[in-house]
Amino acid sequence: MKLNKFFFGLLMTPAVMMVGCSDYEDTEVVSPEANADAVGAYFEKNSNPVKLLPGKTSFNITLKRASGGDAVNVPFKVVENKNDFFELPVNQFAFEAGKQSSTPIAVSFNIDNAVFQKNDTLYLQVLDGVKDHLYAAGYTDTMYPFVIDYTWKSDSLASTMVKDEYANTFTGEGTLATVEIAKDFEVVKTNPSPDYTKNSLVRIPSFFATIGKSKAAGKDHIQFVVDKDHQNPQFLSTGYLAGKEISLTVNERELETGMTQKFAEKKEYPICMDLVDIDAIAATPEAKTDNVTYLVTYNLYAFDEKADKKYKLPEADDTTPVVGTNQYQAKFEIKFVKASAE
């Protein structure tokens, strides 16, 4: 009996399975095909930030396509290139047969218009902004935010107390400020390990925002070069870079502070800073650090860019503009790693 029940169960199983599957039918779904003439060109990102070190004069751009095919050229449109700052040698991306990435195009720029730490942007478009391929990823439009600058780090230098005349803390305790150093400034390629015997580029970024006088970060970076003993400071300047065979403009004047000044005539102007002088006024060597105090002299003024006039900062906001500038000083101590013996 047990054996018969076993065979009976085997005979019933296929029948049950057939009943269970009777509600389903095989179907075939065909994926849509792309147009045979479609290129499927696209930029991988809609924003491609570019940062070049001083001395570099070009960067590469590329385009992608959905699948490899015949060799083809894809024209592009320059949507924006203010003052023709960027220089492109061609007006189309070239794909070799079977390649999904175009041959890189080297974009250069007008070095006479280039300014250290000034942002510019190049905007490009392909396919008139409309994708022509079902399976093209990315974007038909892209931009390249561009700047020439060093790489600034704050992990190797401690913060400092800034004592400033304009902030009314010159004779007091001061305010805490961040100190940064350019990691890729005058790098010795043959000695990749830390080398504290070369010149250093130092800065306090967005000076007045850092010391709490402005709520908005400005371009008023106090950045200066010191020698291997951390002495003889000099502001980073056009002349300094020219001495290194780098053709590049560095602004030391009309630096935006993020602050504004309103006068009785109801006009409000941005407050700007001109860097005047920097000196090392004290050095106290210790076992592992060099503590150096720097004194910075600068001019502040309300700047009417349209009329190209500088106005003195009044003590009250209800006075009329007076042509001129106000001069102030700031001092701060930086603790460097002590220079190694040679």
Side-chain angles (χ1 to χ4, degrees), residues 46-301:
N46 63 350
S47 180
N48 306 271
V50 176
K51 183 177 77 66
L52 295 183
L53 289 174
K56 302 295 183 181
T57 57
S58 67
F59 60 93
N60 290 335
I61 61 175
T62 57
L63 188 69
K64 297 284 188 179
R65 62 176 171 173
S67 60
D70 296 336
V72 66
N73 293 331
V74 179
F76 62 82
K77 181 189 301 181
V78 178
V79 178
E80 184 175 347
N81 180 15
K82 288 184 179 179
N83 302 318
D84 294 325
F85 178 79
F86 297 99
E87 300 171 351
L88 295 99
V90 295
N91 62 359
Q92 56 188 9
F93 290 96
F95 288 91
E96 296 180 9
K99 300 290 186 180
Q100 287 182 257
S101 294
S102 70
T103 302
I105 297 175
V107 178
S108 57
F109 50 89
N110 189 340
I111 192 64
D112 293 331
N113 294 337
V115 178
F116 181 61
Q117 295 174 336
K118 179 186 176 184
N119 295 302
D120 286 281
T121 303
L122 173 67
Y123 292 85
L124 299 182
Q125 183 185 79
V126 294
L127 306 176
D128 291 325
V130 181
K131 290 183 180 180
D132 66 350
H133 198 292
L134 292 170
Y135 306 113
Y139 306 86
T140 57
D141 296 67
T142 193
M143 61 180 179
Y144 297 89
F146 171 86
V147 69
I148 302 175
D149 201 354
Y150 291 102
T151 302
W152 298 90
K153 301 289 185 181
S154 58
D155 54 0
S156 62
L157 297 175
S159 297
T160 184
M161 296 301 295
V162 174
K163 299 181 179 181
D164 181 74
E165 283 185 328
Y166 180 69
N168 295 318
T169 60
F170 195 75
T171 58
E173 183 178 345
T175 54
L176 192 64
T178 300
V179 178
E180 297 179 333
I181 190 168
K183 291 292 187 179
D184 41 18
F185 176 78
E186 296 194 353
V187 174
V188 180
K189 294 183 178 179
T190 57
N191 182 12
S193 61
D195 177 10
Y196 300 109
T197 64
K198 61 181 182 294
N199 292 353
S200 297
L201 178 59
V202 185
R203 79 172 179 180
I204 296 180
S206 298
F207 182 70
F208 288 102
T210 298
I211 66 173
K213 288 296 292 182
S214 172
K215 294 181 179 179
K219 298 180 180 179
D220 50 329
H221 314 308
I222 295 179
Q223 40 201 1
F224 57 97
V225 181
V226 293
D227 61 24
K228 64 184 182 67
D229 296 316
H230 309 133
Q231 300 293 311
N232 302 310
Q234 56 179 309
F235 293 126
L236 184 67
S237 64
T238 304
Y240 182 90
L241 291 180
K244 304 293 180 182
E245 298 183 350
I246 297 175
S247 180
L248 185 66
T249 300
V250 179
N251 285 340
E252 297 175 84
R253 302 288 184 268
E254 298 172 10
L255 302 175
E256 299 171 7
T257 65
M259 301 181 292
T260 59
Q261 177 67 56
K262 190 173 184 179
F263 294 98
E265 57 182 26
K266 305 301 181 183
K267 289 186 178 181
E268 190 170 3
Y269 302 106
I271 295 177
C272 293
M273 175 175 71
D274 291 351
L275 296 173
V276 177
D277 190 32
I278 182 170
D279 293 299
I281 60 174
T284 308
E286 295 180 353
K288 296 182 179 180
T289 61
D290 286 340
N291 295 358
V292 185
T293 300
Y294 298 100
L295 180 67
V296 172
T297 303
Y298 61 89
N299 290 333
L300 277 188
Y301 50 89

Side-chain angles (χ1 to χ4, degrees), residues 306-341:
K306 187 175 181 179
D308 193 22
K309 288 186 177 182
K310 300 177 180 181
Y311 299 121
K312 289 186 176 182
L313 303 181
E315 295 182 1
D317 290 344
D318 58 351
T319 58
T320 55
V322 176
V323 173
T325 63
N326 303 79
Q327 191 165 101
Y328 301 95
Q329 288 185 325
K331 58 182 177 181
F332 44 87
E333 181 183 73
I334 297 179
K335 298 181 179 180
F336 293 94
V337 175
K338 193 172 179 63
S340 58

